[in-house]
Amino acid sequence: MEIRPLSDALRKRAREEINENPETLVSNFNELREWLNEHPQLKSEIISDQWLVAFLRGSKHNLEKCKSKIERYYTLSTAAPELYANRDPLDPQIQELLKLGLFLPLKKCASEDSPRIVLVRMGELNKVHGRLSDICKIGFMIAEILLLEDDNFTICGEELVSDLKDTGFGLIRQWTPAYARKLFMCFENALTIRMTRINVLNAPIGMKTAVAIFKLFLKEKLKKRIYVYNEDYEEMFKYIPKSLLPKEYGGTEGTLQDLTDHWKNKVESYRSWYLRENLKD
């Protein structure tokens, strides 16, 4: 098993939160790899050790749950074709979306064992008359990179900062219960993403219905972890240090353009991954 070693802080967090210790990790990994070898339709020959461990961690080392998540992941092209058709980063449409900076994981975490904070800027879609599914597709592409590269993300989870500035009614009305159900099925049941906190900025008038739909699919614990700040960034800074945020949000960690360029380049560097992992094959 070839995976990154964890820091002491992350190793402790993994033991306390996702039931991981060196012995169970090796044992569960070996059993899962054996199961995969018996299911060639799941492309077991191209699944890396680090990818497999991300699924184990996202399932808190529950093997049966992990197997179900892997099976769901490889059927997403049927369940959500709008999210998995055409994922070539060099395609002109994908390039246009990447340049907008729609889904931007921050470069630093609050501490060595803190969740990865991700900034989502839905309103930017209006610049290209995009659809809600566009931001979800980019989000899924970048989330896969995080599953492969980011131990804070797979062990500590994700903290969302959703900026709704300039979102507009056209995008909000696409957020139907049916689409929300599909999206949560993909994120939580197939990609093993653990949301720890949701911070909402610049919510437009009339957002209550969209938030109500959103809450329908959240676990009770997470429903209590939705915080709306609108433009009161000072209140948000009590929980998210300025040193993590780009200057456009009152922070000191570079600019939005820096972050956008970073993730555009990162996604492009994974082109072979996306083409190989084409779920429609």
Side-chain angles (χ1 to χ4, degrees):
M1 181 176 64
E2 298 182 4
I3 63 171
R4 286 181 302 277
L6 298 177
S7 67
D8 290 343
L10 279 177
R11 192 180 302 114
K12 181 175 184 291
R13 188 77 177 264
R15 183 175 63 253
E16 294 173 347
E17 290 203 5
I18 60 173
N19 310 309
E20 178 175 303
N21 62 57
E23 293 75 25
T24 58
L25 177 60
V26 172
S27 173
N28 288 340
F29 175 87
N30 288 337
E31 184 173 339
L32 194 58
R33 180 62 81 182
E34 183 177 341
W35 172 79
L36 275 171
N37 290 338
E38 296 171 358
H39 295 78
Q41 76 276 15
L42 298 178
K43 301 184 178 183
S44 60
E45 75 282 359
I46 62 172
I47 295 179
S48 72
D49 292 354
Q50 197 72 56
W51 180 251
L52 205 54
V53 167
F55 274 82
L56 275 171
R57 287 172 172 163
S59 306
K60 295 188 175 181
H61 284 271
N62 180 317
L63 277 170
E64 293 309 309
K65 184 182 291 186
C66 183
K67 292 173 184 177
S68 295
K69 286 177 181 290
I70 291 173
E71 288 177 325
R72 290 192 190 103
Y73 173 79
Y74 284 102
T75 59
L76 283 181
S77 61
T78 300
E82 71 277 14
L83 302 180
Y84 277 89
N86 178 25
R87 300 206 305 164
D88 182 350
L90 299 186
D91 179 89
Q93 183 183 18
I94 301 297
Q95 282 282 301
E96 184 176 55
L97 295 173
L98 289 172
K99 290 176 182 177
L100 293 175
L102 300 169
F103 189 95
L104 300 172
L106 303 187
K107 293 182 180 181
K108 297 178 181 178
C109 294
S111 67
E112 193 176 352
D113 61 346
S114 292
R116 179 65 58 187
I117 298 171
V118 177
L119 174 61
V120 177
R121 304 163 65 227
M122 191 182 302
E124 295 298 299
L125 275 173
N126 287 320
K127 293 179 178 179
V128 296
H129 305 289
R131 297 184 56 79
L132 189 59
S133 58
D134 292 329
I135 195 169
C136 296
K137 174 189 280 191
I138 295 300
F140 272 55
M141 291 175 72
I142 293 177
E144 289 180 9
I145 295 176
L146 296 176
L147 288 174
L148 285 164
E149 291 193 358
D150 191 347
D151 295 323
N152 286 74
F153 184 76
T154 59
I155 293 172
C156 309
E158 172 188 5
E159 181 170 341
L160 195 68
V161 177
S162 182
D163 185 357
L164 301 180
K165 182 180 180 180
D166 299 327
T167 297
F169 181 69
L171 285 172
I172 293 175
R173 70 181 179 184
Q174 295 175 35
W175 185 251
T176 63
Y179 192 76
R181 184 181 299 110
K182 177 189 290 189
L183 195 62
F184 275 92
M185 183 274 293
C186 294
F187 261 105
E188 195 167 76
N189 296 332
L191 272 184
T192 74
I193 295 170
R194 294 169 50 235
M195 196 80 69
T196 62
R197 181 184 174 101
I198 299 170
N199 308 279
V200 180
L201 306 179
N202 304 310
I205 296 174
M207 195 65 189
K208 288 185 178 179
T209 300
V211 171
I213 292 173
F214 189 63
K215 285 186 174 181
L216 286 174
F217 303 97
L218 296 179
K219 296 176 182 178
E220 285 302 317
K221 185 185 294 184
L222 190 54
K223 286 180 182 179
K224 300 174 183 177
R225 296 178 181 173
I226 299 177
Y227 302 88
V228 180
Y229 299 112
N230 290 322
E231 296 181 3
D232 185 8
Y233 294 174
E234 289 299 324
E235 184 66 21
M236 181 177 68
F237 294 151
K238 295 177 183 178
Y239 304 95
I240 302 178
K242 291 183 179 183
S243 59
L244 306 182
L245 292 160
K247 70 175 187 179
E248 290 86 349
Y249 289 87
T252 58
E253 179 57 27
T255 66
L256 279 173
Q257 191 60 55
D258 294 336
L259 207 51
T260 299
D261 292 343
H262 170 80
W263 281 105
K264 179 176 178 293
N265 292 334
K266 175 69 77 173
V267 170
E268 290 170 356
S269 75
Y270 269 79
R271 185 175 187 239
S272 61
W273 160 270
Y274 297 119
L275 297 181
R276 187 186 68 188
E277 289 288 318
N278 187 344
L279 301 186
K280 295 181 72 65
D281 288 349

